[in-house]
C-alpha cells in the first residue's frame, strides 16, 4: 500500500498530511522546514511519493531530500493538472489555489464549483463544469481583519474571534467581532448568490480551519471539508508521480 506525504507551506503554518493508498490518514503541523524535521517525517511514515505546495520562501534543501528519498513533485504553474486555466497569466496562480481546483475537479466532476478557502486570506476559486479554473477573488482573512483594525487605528483594541457574538453588537469588542465574523459571512453569502444566479448546476465547498464555524452562518447548502486542499495535493501527486 503506497504512502503519499503531502506538504502545505502557507503564510502562517507549515502543515503535512499522509495518505495511505487513496485514503486520507491524518495531518499535523511542522515547527519548521529544516532538513531534520523532514527527515523525521520520512522516517516515521516511509512515503513512496511526496508533493509540496508552498506560498512562502521555504528551505530549498528539503526539495533535494524529498527527491532522493521519494518520488517527489513540487506544485507549480508547470504541473500537470486535471483542469485547465482560463486566466491571462497561469504562472501567477498560487499553489494552494491550484490544489483546491484539482480537488474540485476530482471530487465534484462535471459541476460548477465555487471553493471558498478560509486562511490568512479568503480565496474564492471558481471551477466550471468543463473543469476550467475561471478565477475568483481574494479578500482579507479573519485574523488579518482583526489585526488591521487594531494596528491602523489609535484606539481600537486587538479583538479575538468569538462565535457567540451578537450581530447587533453592544460594545467595542463585540462590534469588532460582528464586523469581522458576520461581515465575512455576509461577504460569502453575496459571492455565493452571484455565482448561483450566473451558473446552474452549482456546488459550494468551504474549507480551512474555521470552515465548520462559518458553514453554520451561511444561507446556502454547502459542503465543508477541512482537508480539501490536501485531497487536491494527493490528486495532483497521482497525476505527476505515477
Amino acid at each position: 500500500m503506497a504512502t503519499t506525504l503531502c506538504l502545505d507551506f502557507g503564510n502562517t503554518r507549515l502543515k503535512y498530511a499522509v495518505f495511505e493508498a487513496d485514503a486520507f490518514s491524518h495531518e499535523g503541523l511542522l515547527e519548521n522546514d529544516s532538513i531534520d524535521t523532514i527527515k523525521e517525517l520520512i522516517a516515521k511514515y516511509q512515503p513512496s511519493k511526496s508533493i509540496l505546495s508552498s506560498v512562502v520562501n521555504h528551505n530549498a534543501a528539503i526539495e533535494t531530500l524529498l527527491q532522493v528519498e521519494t518520488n517527489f513533485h513540487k506544485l507549480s504553474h508547470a504541473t500537470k493538472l486535471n483542469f485547465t486555466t482560463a486566466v491571462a497569466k497561469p504562472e501567477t496562480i498560487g499553489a494552494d489555489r491550484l490544489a483546491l481546483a484539482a480537488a474540485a475537479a476530482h471530487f465534484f466532476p462535471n459541476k460548477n464549483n465555487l471553493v471558498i478557502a478560509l486562511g490568512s486570506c479568503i480565496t474564492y476559486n471558481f471551477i466550471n463544469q468543463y473543469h476550467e479554473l475561471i478565477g475568483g477573488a481574494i479578500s482579507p482573512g479573519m485574523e488579518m481583519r482583526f489585526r488591521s483594525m487594531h494596528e491602523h487605528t489609535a484606539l481600537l483594541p486587538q479583538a479575538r474571534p468569538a462565535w457567540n457574538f451578537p450581530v447587533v453588537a453592544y460594545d467595542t469588542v463585540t462590534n469588532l467581532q460582528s464586523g469581522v465574523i458576520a461581515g465575512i459571512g455576509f461577504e460569502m453569502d453575496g459571492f455565493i448568490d452571484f455565482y448561483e444566479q450566473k451558473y446552474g448546476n452549482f456546488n459550494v465547498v468551504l474549507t480551512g480551519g474555521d470552515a465548520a464555524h462559518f458553514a453554520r452562518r451561511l444561507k446556502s447548502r454547502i459542503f465543508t471539508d477541512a482537508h480539501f486542499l490536501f485531497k487536491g495535493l494527493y490528486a495532483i501527486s497521482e497525476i505527476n508521480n505515477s
Side-chain angles (χ1 to χ4, degrees), residues 161-207:
W163 302 103
N164 60 347
F165 66 91
V167 175
V168 182
Y170 54 82
D171 61 14
T172 300
V173 170
T174 55
N175 269 269
L176 293 169
Q177 291 168 339
S178 179
V180 170
I181 300 173
I184 289 173
F186 294 143
E187 173 186 296
M188 289 193 290
D189 276 331
F191 274 111
I192 292 169
D193 286 346
F194 171 84
Y195 282 101
E196 199 163 26
Q197 291 173 20
K198 189 173 179 63
Y199 302 95
N201 191 25
F202 186 70
N203 184 58
V204 182
V205 180
L206 192 64
T207 189

Side-chain angles (χ1 to χ4, degrees), residues 3 19 30-32 35 61 69 85 101 105-106 131 137 158 161 163 183 225 239 242:
T3 299
F19 285 78
L30 300 178
E31 292 184 1
N32 54 57
I35 288 288
E69 298 292 338
T85 60
H106 182 81
H131 296 182
Q158 175 66 65
W163 302 103
D225 190 336
I239 297 170
S242 59

Side-chain angles (χ1 to χ4, degrees), residues 41-218:
L41 278 181
I42 293 172
K44 182 176 182 180
Y45 297 110
Q46 306 265 312
S48 58
K49 300 176 184 179
S50 64
I51 184 169
L52 169 64
S53 168
S54 178
V55 296
V56 297
N57 293 320
H58 60 271
N59 179 4
I62 67 173
E63 294 183 28
T64 301
L65 172 64
L66 290 166
Q67 287 171 345
V68 170
E69 298 292 338
T70 69
N71 194 358
F72 169 70
H73 181 74
K74 180 184 177 183
L75 185 59
S76 73
H77 70 278
T79 294
K80 290 184 289 184
L81 300 166
N82 57 351
F83 62 92
T84 59
T85 60
V87 298
K89 295 183 178 180
E91 66 274 11
T92 64
I93 303 172
D96 52 340
R97 301 183 81 180
L98 293 176
L100 294 171
H106 182 81
F107 291 101
F108 301 102
N110 305 315
K111 292 184 72 69
N112 292 314
N113 289 285
L114 177 64
V115 182
I116 305 174
L118 296 156
S120 299
C121 289
I122 302 170
T123 64
Y124 298 84
N125 309 278
F126 184 70
I127 305 92
N128 69 15
Q129 61 187 329
Y130 307 110
H131 296 182
E132 296 173 313
L133 174 59
I134 301 300
I138 303 174
S139 69
M142 182 170 62
E143 272 305 315
M144 191 180 296
R145 297 183 195 211
F146 277 122
R147 191 172 66 249
S148 66
M149 287 192 289
H150 170 61
E151 293 178 355
H152 294 286
T153 62
L155 299 176
L156 289 178
Q158 175 66 65
R160 302 294 179 189
W163 302 103
N164 60 347
F165 66 91
V167 175
V168 182
Y170 54 82
D171 61 14
T172 300
V173 170
T174 55
N175 269 269
L176 293 169
Q177 291 168 339
S178 179
V180 170
I181 300 173
I184 289 173
F186 294 143
E187 173 186 296
M188 289 193 290
D189 276 331
F191 274 111
I192 292 169
D193 286 346
F194 171 84
Y195 282 101
E196 199 163 26
Q197 291 173 20
K198 189 173 179 63
Y199 302 95
N201 191 25
F202 186 70
N203 184 58
V204 182
V205 180
L206 192 64
T207 189
D210 293 323
H213 292 292
F214 280 100
R216 296 195 294 266
R217 299 181 177 277
L218 299 181

